């Protein structure tokens, strides 16, 4: 049995990750739920960009985006992704790797409805990742969508959620003299039990 205590204690990695995020929300000035999302294209070239993790549940880590964006297309093609969340104020880091499930049902509708009207209209107006001639062109499209969709636009069919179902979660905390603490939770597949290992810094 691997000895774990303090900030690493707990029997569920999802609950532990949610606790760390909750602590970060009290300390980080901006976007404590920000995560660097990594995907690969058809030839294996990696891509990384920031997204906002909107929920951590026993199923996984949730974020939302345009399915036609580069990240959306790459996730759909590979079915896999990784994220890292780094909290400088806490001197902690969380890494997640796993399979990705598309969530475009009631949960996506609920989250979309919770966004500001401007953000909902923006989701319709933006052809994410495509070449844009000017900001004026984008704002003109927003104005056009505003007239067409009104004050209660439905969720676009090309916009919704992704959930990373992890096979690996690593918890990292800064240590003196760069002797950091690292604990890795791994499982062979989504139906397997977790194995916990302490990793060298």
């Amino acid at each position: 049995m691997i000895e774990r205590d303090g900030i690493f204690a707990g029997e569920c990695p999802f609950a532990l990750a949610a606790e760390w995020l909750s602590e970060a929300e009290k300390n980080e000035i901006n976007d404590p739920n920000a995560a660097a999302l990594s995907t690969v294209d058809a030839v294996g070239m990696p891509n990384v960009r920031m997204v906002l993790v909107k929920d951590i549940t026993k199923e996984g880590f949730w974020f939302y985006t345009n399915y036609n964006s580069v990240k959306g297309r790459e996730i759909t093609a590979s079915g896999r992704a990784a994220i890292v969340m780094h909290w400088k104020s806490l001197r902690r880091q969380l890494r997640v790797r796993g399979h990705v499930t598309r969530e475009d049902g009631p949960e996506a509708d609920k989250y979309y409805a919770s966004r500001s009207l401007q953000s909902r209209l923006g989701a319709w107006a933006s052809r994410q990742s495509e070449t844009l001639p000017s900001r004026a062109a984008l704002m003109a499209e927003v104005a056009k969508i505003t007239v067409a969709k009104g004050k209660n636009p439905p969720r676009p069919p090309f916009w919704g959620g992704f959930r990373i179902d992890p096979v690996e979660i690593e918890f990292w905390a800064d240590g003196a003299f760069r002797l950091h603490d690292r604990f890795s939770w791994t499982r062979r597949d989504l139906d397997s039990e977790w194995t916990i290992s302490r990793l060298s810094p």
Side-chain angles (χ1 to χ4, degrees), residues 5-16:
D5 55 17
I7 63 172
F8 295 100
E11 300 307 313
C12 172
F14 300 110
L16 183 55

Side-chain angles (χ1 to χ4, degrees), residues 18-192:
E19 286 178 17
W20 280 30
L21 177 56
S22 179
E23 286 187 57
E25 288 170 346
K26 301 170 188 173
N27 294 277
E28 293 291 327
I29 297 173
N30 294 311
D31 298 328
N33 59 334
L37 169 72
S38 178
T39 58
V40 294
D41 67 14
V43 297
M45 180 67 74
N47 258 321
V48 65
R49 77 289 281 166
M50 303 305 293
V51 297
L52 299 178
V53 173
K54 290 300 182 178
D55 202 5
I56 301 174
T57 67
K58 63 181 180 180
E59 286 80 29
F61 295 74
W62 302 63
F63 64 95
Y64 295 83
T65 192
N66 186 315
Y67 293 135
N68 296 328
S69 65
V70 169
K71 60 181 172 294
R73 295 196 306 269
E74 290 179 351
I75 288 170
T76 298
S78 72
R80 296 173 176 84
I83 60 171
V84 59
M85 304 180 79
H86 176 243
W87 299 296
K88 190 175 182 66
S89 62
L90 296 178
R91 300 169 74 176
R92 297 183 204 174
Q93 176 177 284
L94 178 70
R95 294 176 59 240
V96 178
R97 302 169 69 211
H99 306 281
V100 182
T101 299
R102 184 163 153 162
E103 293 290 344
D104 57 2
E107 288 297 325
D109 291 337
K110 180 180 177 182
Y111 173 66
Y112 180 79
S114 75
R115 305 177 89 207
S116 70
L117 175 59
Q118 291 81 3
S119 293
R120 283 178 281 153
L121 293 168
W124 275 101
S126 174
R127 296 178 175 86
Q128 197 172 90
S129 302
E130 293 185 15
T131 301
L132 182 66
S134 67
R135 183 164 185 83
L138 175 62
M139 300 315 293
E141 186 63 22
V142 171
K144 180 176 155 186
I145 289 293
T146 300
V147 172
K149 299 298 179 182
K151 295 184 177 180
N152 189 27
R155 179 175 59 85
F158 52 81
W159 191 99
F162 282 117
R163 187 186 74 237
I164 301 179
D165 305 311
V167 292
E168 180 179 345
I169 305 176
E170 182 191 314
F171 298 86
W172 176 101
D174 187 40
F177 310 108
R178 302 194 65 78
L179 299 177
H180 314 305
D181 287 308
R182 296 173 64 190
F183 287 92
S184 176
W185 299 60
T186 59
R187 54 183 176 177
R188 186 175 64 256
D189 54 52
L190 302 181
D191 297 319
S192 300

